[in-house]
């Protein structure tokens, strides 16, 4: 006798139900009202598909074995029947492995019931292939002729052996699964003579022989009579052809071996990955600086245009795919955002918007290399975007651009974690080939991997670019980052983090670095606070500069090359930029003296003094614009300079020149002509000219939100047991409501108040008063504040001030009911 899943769940102890909810936490989103609702949700298509997605290839084969061996009369199977189809002498699975797979299926409640009467939940057949194990339907369900043939095993074997080679090849192909195929139009209508000649090559000839001999059964016309006929191989014939491999096909209880995996020295792997991590941070900063220098506009359809991506890639010296990846990761990390041309926050793409670094970019730049790397890679792990799609065409043949909505793919975080999990599950230093990694992942989660090979290869390429892997193996700090990220998701799900979903990791809550950051810090060179000045005025920084030194170099020197040891050059232009920012000549001499570990070249001292002497010799203000100087001869030189003839300069006084053009243009022309003017305000004070950069409003990084929208939360044991207790109470309430007396159920269907007659209301009050005197239970029908009608078995305590106070017999809690909402009251018999 079969049992419903709801009844089976009711018979389980609380610990078993809690284990189910921990394995399938999506069942409690939201919390089911009772166990019947839990059973319905556990058999729903979406929940069953999610559970199946986490199963390996062998466990799915055993589930197919359970579907294949079901009794047609009651739909049940047994452990012995499943063992029989899985344990083939030639290449069958070990019974212990089969039982282990069955235990996993039963723990997930994809199978339930006693061992002699296992049942498959209804949703499995809805989301799985209609052909379990790649075998067709029984012949009796397809065609009488095929059923008659299959009913005689000896005749069936003779017919199969008599099949021509071409027909036998078709049988073997369909027996391997899937068991259906499509014939060309009118393939079965050709005259039989065509199939008998030695030169018969028509696609329908061998199939026609199989159909005529009942080895294949036509099942449908695929498109209304014009696109060919579908044929199916009956299950009994498929089982006969699989006599060597077994009903379930080749069994693979263990994951595929890594035959060609290289073994790298773990230190070499970490060193290679650390070098790439440094490059990632440097390249990301270069990309963001290029964006800040010339903010790209946002397309009306969203994202950044192809031309802007190419321009950024050309400026930073990277290919377009790497630049697109860095832009996407920076956006996910909260370092990029969109603003309109007035700087206001924006939420909708449009022609008046630009992409700019956010305020968080300045904070990120001030951090250590390892922390900056962690913020980027954690965002990459969590972001629901697939950068590999950039540059491809969508289903409407439109080009997919960087930061556009078309790059969104909800399952990418799960795919990244699964691939890195494969590498993290290997011994340190193991560097398998890409094909081996994909084969291992396909065994671990075949449903998620099917058809995603190209995207998975992109993930491995991106992991290498981000420094998570080195020399083809995952780094030690990459393992720690993956573990930290998983633990952070658990904290968010358990409710121990910010209620708005912001992750309070070790860095934010305690100031301590995570284990991944500490591990990477040990591999990276220590930041330096000095440089080496060369005679040709070049500056060599022998390592990553600390934030203070990096800020100083940005002002007083121009970068020439980057890497482990970067090179900068001091020029007259860079010194003028430093003087514009507020440095004095003495400040620059002191800075070079303090920072340089080599003697200061005399040429640099002369250059600083010369630029400082000229600096401010001219002052520019707004008239249109004016030029003022105490040196009359210098102004005379400026007026006579032909390079400045377009500025229409004229002398207003011996020490003042005026121009109809604006201040900015006049400053630019004077500097291009070799002069060194400085701007001044209306009071004559010098205006410091450190460039003010625009920034987009701060954004929360993707990694600080709930990382994977497809991932269900992890539930703690106390919370799960509380949910189980809540469902038990709901189940008891539902049973109680079903056995409530008819007058109470009927009364609960009315609206109460005016709809309740005075006589019925008086009768209900009399019944309640009697129950108080006799201290007995009473059924109360009422309408709650939301208009929902229900009934409840309670023990009245008191009546007064228009309210009934009563104790719920089931929960032992005191409830208050407004008397005007009570529709009926009946003593419990």
């Amino acid at each position: 006798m079969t049992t419903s899943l709801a009844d089976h769940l009711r018979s389980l102890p609380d610990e078993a139900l809690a284990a189910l909810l921990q394995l399938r936490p999506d069942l409690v989103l939201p919390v089911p009202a009772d166990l019947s609702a839990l059973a319905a949700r556990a058999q729903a298509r979406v929940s069953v598909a999610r559970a199946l997605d986490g199963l390996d290839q062998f466990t799915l084969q055993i589930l197919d074995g359970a579907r294949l061996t079901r009794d047609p009369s009651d739909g049940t199977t047994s452990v012995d029947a499943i063992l029989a189809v899985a344990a083939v002498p030639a290449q069958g699975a070990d019974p212990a492995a089969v039982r282990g797979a069955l235990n996993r299926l039963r723990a997930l409640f994809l199978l339930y019931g006693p061992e002699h009467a296992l049942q498959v939940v209804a949703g499995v057949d809805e989301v799985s292939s209609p052909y379990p194990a790649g075998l067709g339907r029984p012949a009796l369900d397809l065609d009488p002729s095929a059923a008659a043939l299959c009913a005689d095993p000896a005749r069936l074997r003779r017919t199969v052996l008599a099949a021509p080679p071409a027909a036998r090849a078709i049988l073997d192909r369909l027996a391997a699964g899937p068991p259906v195929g499509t014939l060309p139009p009118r393939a079965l209508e050709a005259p039989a003579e065509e199939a008998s000649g030695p030169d018969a090559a028509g696609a329908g000839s061998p199939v026609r022989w199989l159909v005529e001999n009942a080895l294949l059964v036509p099942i449908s016309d695929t498109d209304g009579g014009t696109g060919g006929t579908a044929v199916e191989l009956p299950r009994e014939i498929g089982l006969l052809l699989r006599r060597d491999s077994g009903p379930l096909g080749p069994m693979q209880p263990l994951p595929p071996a890594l035959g060609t995996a290289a073994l790298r020295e773990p230190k070499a792997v970490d060193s290679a990955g650390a070098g790439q991590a440094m490059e990632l941070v440097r390249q990301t900063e270069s990309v963001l600086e290029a964006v800040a220098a010339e903010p790209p506009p946002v397309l009306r359809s969203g994202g950044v245009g192809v031309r802007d991506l190419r321009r950024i890639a050309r400026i930073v010296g990277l290919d377009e795919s790497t630049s697109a990846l860095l832009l996407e990761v920076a956006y996910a990390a909260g370092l990029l955002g969109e603003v309109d041309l007035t700087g206001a926050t924006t939420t909708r793409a449009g022609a008046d918007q630009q992409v700019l670094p956010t305020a968080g970019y300045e904070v990120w730049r001030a951090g250590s290399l390892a922390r900056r790397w962690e913020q980027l890679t954690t965002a990459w792990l969590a972001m629901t975007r697939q950068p590999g799609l950039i540059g491809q065409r969508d289903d409407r043949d439109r080009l997919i651009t960087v930061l556009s909505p078309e790059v969104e793919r909800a399952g990418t975080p799960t795919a990244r974690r699964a691939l890195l999990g494969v590498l993290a599950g290997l011994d340190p230093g193991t560097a398998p080939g890409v094909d081996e990694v994909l084969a291992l992942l396909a065994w671990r989660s075949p449903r998620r991997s099917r058809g995603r090979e190209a995207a998975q290869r992109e993930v491995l390429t991106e992991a290498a670019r981000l420094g998570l892997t080195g020399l083809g193996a995952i780094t030690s700090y990459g393992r720690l980052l993956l573990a930290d990220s998983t633990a952070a998701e658990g904290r968010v799900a358990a409710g121990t983090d910010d209620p708005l979903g912001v992750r309070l990791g070790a860095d934010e809550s305690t100031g301590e670095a995570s284990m991944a950051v500490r591990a990477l810090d040990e591999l990276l060179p220590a930041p330096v606070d000095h440089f080496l000045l060369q005679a040709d005025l070049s500056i060599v920084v022998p390592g990553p500069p600390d934030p203070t030194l990096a800020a100083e170099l940005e002002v007083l020197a121009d970068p020439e090359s980057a890497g482990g040891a970067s090179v900068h050059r001091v020029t007259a232009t860079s010194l003028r930029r430093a003087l514009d920012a507020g440095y004095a000549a003495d400040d620059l001499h002191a800075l070079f003296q303090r920072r340089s570990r080599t003697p200061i070249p005399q040429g640099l001292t002369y250059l600083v003094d010369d630029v400082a002497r000229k600096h401010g010799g001219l002052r520019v203000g707004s008239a249109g614009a004016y030029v003022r100087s105490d040196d009359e001869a210098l102004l005379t030189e400026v007026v006579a300079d032909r390079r400045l003839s377009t500025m229409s300069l004229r002398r207003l006084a011996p020490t003042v020149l005026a121009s109809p053009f604006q201040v900015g243009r006049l400053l630019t022309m004077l500097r291009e002509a070799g002069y060194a003017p400085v701007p001044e305000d209306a009071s004559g004070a010098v205006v410091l000219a450190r460039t003010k950069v625009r920034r987009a409003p701060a954004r929360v990084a993707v990694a600080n939100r709930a990382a994977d929208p497809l991932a269900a939360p992890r539930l703690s044991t106390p919370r799960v047991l509380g949910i189980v207790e809540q469902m038990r109470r709901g189940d008891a309430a539902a049973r109680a409501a079903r056995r409530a007396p008819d007058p109470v159920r009927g009364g609960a269907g009315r609206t109460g108040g005016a709809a309740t007659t005075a006589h019925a209301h008086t009768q209900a009050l009399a019944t309640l008063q009697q129950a108080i005197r006799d201290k007995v239970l009473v059924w109360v029908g009422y309408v709650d504040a939301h208009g929902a009608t229900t009934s409840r078995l309670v023990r009245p305590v008191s009546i007064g001030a228009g309210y009934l106070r009563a104790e719920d017999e089931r929960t032992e809690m005191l409830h208050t009911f407004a008397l005007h909402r009570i529709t009926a009251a009946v003593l419990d018999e």
Side-chain angles (χ1 to χ4, degrees):
M1 180 179 178
T2 59
T3 304
S4 69
L5 180 58
D7 291 338
H8 182 72
L9 293 175
R10 292 189 183 97
S11 67
L12 297 176
D14 289 354
E15 292 75 12
L17 288 175
L20 168 63
L21 298 183
Q22 286 179 319
L23 288 173
R24 296 175 64 179
D26 60 290
L27 296 179
V28 296
L29 295 175
V31 176
D34 51 36
L35 293 178
S36 295
L38 176 66
R41 194 173 298 172
Q43 300 179 89
R45 292 173 57 92
V46 174
S47 181
V48 170
R50 189 188 294 269
L52 293 177
D53 286 346
L55 298 179
D56 58 64
Q57 178 179 330
F58 178 69
T59 305
L60 290 174
Q61 284 183 302
I62 299 305
L63 180 60
D64 275 347
R67 297 172 62 202
L68 197 63
T69 57
R70 283 180 292 190
D71 188 334
S73 61
D74 58 7
T76 63
T77 183
S78 66
V79 173
D80 291 338
I82 299 172
L83 286 171
V85 298
V88 179
Q91 47 183 316
D94 178 37
V98 176
R99 289 186 177 273
L102 286 172
N103 290 338
R104 288 192 292 274
L105 293 169
R106 297 179 73 180
L108 291 167
F109 282 78
L110 299 173
L111 294 178
Y112 70 95
E115 290 195 356
H116 65 277
L118 289 175
Q119 293 177 253
V120 182
V121 297
V124 171
D125 291 325
E126 296 178 14
V127 301
S128 301
S129 168
Y131 305 105
L135 292 171
R137 291 171 288 178
L140 190 60
D141 297 340
L142 293 173
D143 182 70
S145 300
L149 174 65
C150 294
D152 187 347
R155 179 187 166 201
L156 175 61
R157 285 194 296 272
R158 290 195 302 270
T159 306
V160 171
L161 292 174
R168 180 58 186 266
I170 293 175
L171 287 178
D172 291 337
R173 187 164 62 249
L174 294 178
V180 293
T182 303
L183 304 180
R186 296 179 297 278
L188 300 179
E189 300 176 6
E193 296 78 35
E194 290 186 12
S196 60
D199 298 329
S205 301
V207 177
R208 188 166 57 251
W209 186 94
L210 293 171
V211 171
E212 290 173 352
N213 287 273
L215 294 176
L216 285 183
V217 178
I219 55 174
S220 68
D221 193 353
T222 57
D223 60 356
T226 61
T229 302
V231 292
E232 182 174 337
L233 181 71
R235 179 176 298 178
E236 293 83 354
I237 302 175
L239 290 172
L240 175 64
L241 295 170
R242 288 188 183 184
R243 59 185 179 277
D244 295 328
S245 62
L248 302 181
M251 306 292 289
Q252 194 173 2
L254 300 176
L258 302 176
T260 61
L263 294 178
R264 314 287 189 188
E265 178 63 35
K267 290 184 178 180
V269 171
D270 286 347
S271 297
Q276 186 57 39
M278 289 181 59
E279 278 295 289
L280 169 70
V281 174
R282 182 190 67 80
Q283 292 170 353
T284 302
E285 185 171 355
S286 298
V287 167
L288 294 179
E289 286 298 325
V291 171
E294 188 176 345
V298 178
L299 302 175
R300 291 192 178 275
S301 58
V304 174
V306 176
R307 291 182 180 178
D308 290 300
L309 175 61
R310 290 174 179 170
R311 174 181 57 80
I312 293 171
R314 184 175 60 256
I315 291 173
V316 299
L318 298 173
D319 58 80
E320 292 180 26
S321 62
T322 303
S323 300
L325 171 64
L326 297 180
L327 286 170
E328 289 285 353
V329 172
Y331 189 88
L335 306 181
L336 275 181
E338 294 124 352
V339 295
D340 65 16
L341 295 181
T342 63
T345 306
T346 182
T347 58
R348 185 172 57 88
D352 295 335
Q353 297 171 350
Q354 292 177 334
V355 175
L356 276 172
T358 64
Y361 170 56
E362 305 298 342
V363 179
W364 176 79
R365 289 179 62 185
S368 67
L369 278 174
R371 286 179 184 262
R372 294 159 75 183
W373 172 86
E374 182 193 36
Q375 185 172 342
L376 294 173
T377 50
T378 305
W380 174 78
L381 275 175
M383 70 181 190
T384 57
R385 298 179 66 79
Q386 186 177 329
L389 296 174
I390 298 170
Q392 300 181 17
R393 298 277 177 177
D394 61 12
D395 52 1
R396 288 178 287 182
D397 198 36
R398 296 187 308 181
L399 195 66
I400 299 177
T401 59
V402 64
L403 301 181
S404 65
E406 288 76 12
V407 187
E408 285 285 343
R409 294 294 185 274
T412 49
T414 301
R416 293 189 186 107
R417 295 177 191 278
L419 273 168
L420 292 180
V422 169
L423 295 176
L426 306 176
D427 294 334
T430 304
V434 174
D435 292 336
E436 290 180 320
V437 174
L438 298 187
L440 187 55
L441 184 63
W443 183 89
R444 288 189 175 185
S445 53
R447 286 173 56 91
R448 286 177 178 165
S449 302
R450 191 176 301 119
R452 294 187 53 85
E453 290 79 8
Q456 291 163 355
R457 292 178 185 273
E458 292 169 3
V459 170
L460 293 175
T461 301
E462 292 170 7
R465 286 176 176 171
L466 271 60
L468 285 164
T469 61
L471 304 178
I474 191 169
T475 59
S476 60
Y477 57 87
R479 294 174 188 268
L480 295 173
L481 180 77
L482 188 62
D484 287 346
S485 179
T486 303
E489 283 188 24
R491 291 196 300 271
V492 172
T496 59
D497 279 8
D498 186 89
L500 296 179
V502 177
R503 179 173 64 91
L504 300 178
D507 295 349
E508 296 83 359
S509 61
T510 66
E512 297 180 359
S514 65
M515 295 178 63
V517 168
R518 292 197 295 268
L520 181 56
D521 265 331
E522 295 177 358
L523 298 167
L524 295 174
V528 298
D529 60 356
H530 63 275
F531 49 69
L532 307 176
L533 263 172
Q534 307 295 314
D536 61 352
L537 303 189
S538 64
I539 295 177
V540 178
V541 185
D546 64 23
T548 304
L549 177 59
E552 292 172 346
L553 288 172
E554 184 179 1
V555 174
L556 60 87
D558 297 324
E560 287 194 344
S561 67
S566 56
V567 178
H568 305 254
R569 185 170 299 278
V570 179
T571 64
T573 302
S574 68
L575 290 175
R576 188 182 66 209
R577 184 171 65 240
L579 293 170
D580 288 344
Y583 284 95
D586 292 340
D587 298 331
L588 293 177
H589 288 309
L591 188 152
F592 287 122
Q593 192 68 40
R594 183 177 69 255
R595 294 294 190 183
S596 179
R597 293 294 184 269
T598 56
I600 307 300
Q602 193 174 32
L604 177 60
T605 302
Y606 290 157
L607 181 62
V608 170
D609 291 338
D610 185 56
V611 173
R613 184 173 58 255
K614 296 179 180 179
H615 189 263
L618 296 179
R619 299 194 174 199
V620 175
S622 56
Y626 67 85
V627 182
R628 182 175 68 84
S629 177
D630 295 333
D631 188 344
E632 297 182 18
L634 179 59
L635 288 182
T636 301
E637 179 186 347
V638 170
V639 171
D641 196 329
R642 293 184 178 181
R643 294 171 297 179
L644 300 174
S645 60
T646 57
M647 292 291 98
S648 303
L649 292 170
R650 60 191 180 92
R651 192 184 292 269
L652 298 180
T655 58
V656 180
L657 300 179
S659 170
F661 296 97
Q662 295 299 314
V663 174
R665 184 173 179 184
L666 182 56
L667 279 171
T668 301
M669 293 298 294
L670 286 170
R671 286 168 177 168
E672 289 180 354
Y675 300 96
V678 295
E680 68 178 16
D681 59 17
S683 66
V686 175
V687 177
L688 298 180
R690 181 185 289 269
T691 304
K692 295 182 179 180
V693 294
R694 292 179 60 203
R695 291 290 182 253
R699 295 177 53 253
V700 177
V702 171
N704 291 339
R705 309 172 194 161
D708 187 356
L710 297 183
R714 296 173 179 83
L715 303 173
S716 62
T717 301
R719 186 177 179 187
V720 169
L721 290 175
I723 292 174
V724 171
E725 181 181 359
Q726 181 178 344
M727 289 189 295
R728 296 275 195 201
R729 290 178 178 176
D731 218 42
R735 290 198 304 270
R738 286 193 294 270
R739 65 185 181 89
D742 289 338
V744 174
R745 290 203 301 268
R750 296 191 294 270
T751 59
T756 305
T757 64
H759 174 73
H761 189 69
T762 302
Q763 187 176 6
L765 287 177
T767 303
L768 293 173
Q769 290 168 349
Q770 179 184 347
I772 293 174
R773 290 192 301 270
D774 298 341
K775 298 181 179 181
V776 297
L777 296 174
V778 62
W779 283 99
V780 175
Y782 65 97
V783 180
D784 63 18
H786 302 287
T789 59
T790 185
S791 57
R792 182 172 292 184
L793 182 63
V794 297
R795 188 183 303 276
V797 175
S798 65
I799 294 179
Y803 290 94
L804 165 70
R805 292 168 182 81
E807 180 183 356
D808 191 311
E809 183 71 10
R810 177 176 53 84
T811 63
E812 299 181 353
M813 295 179 63
L814 190 65
H815 295 273
T816 301
F817 305 90
L819 290 178
H820 71 277
R821 292 186 176 275
I822 294 177
T823 58
V826 177
L827 295 174
D828 185 37
E829 298 179 357

